[in-house]
Amino acid sequence: MAEGRGAHSAAALAARLRACLADPGACRADLAALSAELLPAPTTPAQRLRAALGVRTAPRLLGPLLAELGPDALGALLPRLPAFEPAARGGSCAEPAGRAVDPADRSPRGVVPDLRQGRLGDCWLVAVLIACEAARPGFARSQLTPLGPTAAAGADGPPAGAHPAIGFWAVDLWAPARRRIVVSDRLPVAHRCGDGGLAPTAASIVEKAVAVALGGSYRRLESNLADVALWLLTGRAAPARPVPRRLDGLDRALRAGRPVVASTLVRPRGSFRLPREDGRTAVPIMDGHVYAVLGVARTDEDGRPDPRQPPRARLRNPLGGSGPAAGADLWLSARQLRRAFLSVNVGPVLAARP
């Protein structure tokens, strides 16, 4: 039976979960049986393909279940219900991020200096998140609405000063129309984005919501396009355009508060090195990769201000400098940008949410 209907509707699942809570002795076996129903062994070619892609529809029921059961009851059961979390690479969604994203804290989290890509090929999404943070600091955090984090409670209630064990968040995305995705803050340990040390941030929660929206699997985040990420996050089309011959237009867009990213072409020989204009060692460039464009200024190729130099675009690799070809921030002239990059995407002005 299709998930979301009949025996697997939110109301029916909530009734079964209430029964589990009412009978702790049978709870473990009942939850194991429910997980087996929601994640059956594939028997047909279509089911095997869905399993290989990690497609799960049960994570979309988390919002209705939260409304039926409340955060404390659902939070107590969720660690034993892997079907309600998106499929992850390199381990399940098991690391609570509640300490990193405090529901009472409305300050920016995961801002430009900190955000980086984890062990996923989702540069198309993380680069756009970096660009959105550059355009409006606190963008990722502004997409989140807390839905009642659970308390780390013991027999006598929650201890003083306890942090939430599991929190729940609503994330506003466009998939394809405006849609609110509900996720827990349980995250994969490494196969996700985070701050400079890959600790979870608000952007990690947004990334998880995108995984749910695209089929309930982090594997579905591998290899996509920057214009898809811009639509998901802003609801505005931002198709790829040729790299401009001059940087004036990109400079105006950045100063207006618009996110800008640039993409390289997939090359048969992989990553390559772009000659520097000052004749020194070449600059490493990753192929088939998306970089965030953070600004335009007259600098040398190491980012030092110099009014005698041509305008250069500052690009950030979402990998954050890890790996031999990742590099740190790049400062490229218009000529270098055209030589190394295939296209740019310019998003809309990001207005602050009320």
Side-chain angles (χ1 to χ4, degrees):
M1 185 177 294
E3 293 173 4
R5 297 181 181 178
H8 293 163
S9 68
L13 289 172
R16 293 180 64 176
L17 294 177
R18 286 195 191 97
C20 288
L21 291 169
D23 186 2
C27 182
R28 185 180 296 273
D30 290 344
L31 292 178
L34 179 57
S35 291
E37 291 177 27
L38 294 173
L39 293 175
T43 56
T44 67
Q47 290 174 340
R48 285 191 286 270
L49 177 60
R50 287 169 61 86
L53 293 173
V55 175
R56 294 181 183 178
T57 55
R60 299 179 184 177
L61 296 176
L62 202 61
L65 281 177
L66 185 64
E68 292 273 354
L69 296 175
D72 290 303
L74 185 58
L77 297 172
L78 196 59
R80 298 181 185 178
L81 291 168
F84 291 100
E85 298 284 16
R89 293 189 57 187
S92 62
C93 295
E95 180 185 22
R99 292 174 181 264
V101 189
D102 185 349
D105 183 5
R106 303 298 299 182
S107 63
R109 295 296 181 113
V111 293
V112 174
D114 298 326
L115 185 56
R116 57 175 288 207
Q117 181 183 346
R119 297 179 188 173
L120 278 176
D122 63 345
C123 61
W124 62 276
L125 174 60
V126 180
V128 168
L129 279 167
I130 293 172
C132 288
E133 289 287 345
R136 182 162 67 84
F139 172 82
R141 180 62 183 84
S142 74
Q143 304 302 104
L144 307 183
T145 302
L147 297 178
T150 64
D156 300 322
H163 285 276
I166 296 177
F168 295 93
W169 298 88
V171 184
D172 292 322
L173 297 175
W174 295 80
R178 190 172 183 84
R179 181 178 168 197
R180 178 157 282 195
I181 307 291
V182 175
V183 296
S184 78
D185 64 1
R186 302 175 76 236
L187 301 168
V189 175
H191 291 76
R192 54 156 177 78
C193 70
D195 64 11
L198 283 182
T201 70
S204 312
I205 305 295
V206 174
E207 181 186 50
K208 181 178 182 179
V210 173
V212 172
L214 295 186
S217 172
Y218 277 89
R219 300 174 201 171
R220 300 298 296 272
L221 299 183
E222 301 274 2
S223 303
N224 212 317
L225 300 174
D227 52 335
V228 175
L230 283 163
W231 177 265
L232 284 166
L233 297 176
T234 70
R236 297 285 297 276
R241 61 180 72 174
V243 178
R245 301 186 64 83
R246 296 170 57 89
L247 299 181
D248 307 52
L250 296 185
D251 187 32
R252 287 193 297 271
L254 292 165
R255 291 180 184 277
R258 303 176 69 179
V260 180
V261 296
S263 303
T264 59
L265 183 66
V266 176
R267 299 195 175 201
R269 296 184 179 181
S271 300
F272 58 99
R273 302 186 73 83
L274 176 70
R276 288 173 60 115
E277 293 178 336
D278 59 11
R280 293 168 56 192
T281 56
V283 176
I285 304 289
M286 297 185 70
D287 77 314
H289 201 56
V290 184
Y291 290 70
V293 183
L294 303 184
V296 174
R298 292 185 180 273
T299 69
D300 64 16
E301 291 176 82
D302 296 311
R304 291 185 290 265
D306 186 344
R308 299 169 298 179
Q309 294 286 336
R312 298 185 188 278
R314 180 187 178 189
L315 294 96
R316 173 154 299 172
N317 188 334
L319 279 175
S322 60
D329 284 3
L330 307 176
W331 284 267
L332 304 182
S333 67
R335 186 178 68 84
Q336 289 173 310
L337 197 66
R338 291 197 308 276
R339 182 172 180 179
F341 285 80
L342 172 68
S343 61
V344 297
N345 297 80
V346 179
V349 175
L350 299 180
R353 291 182 62 191

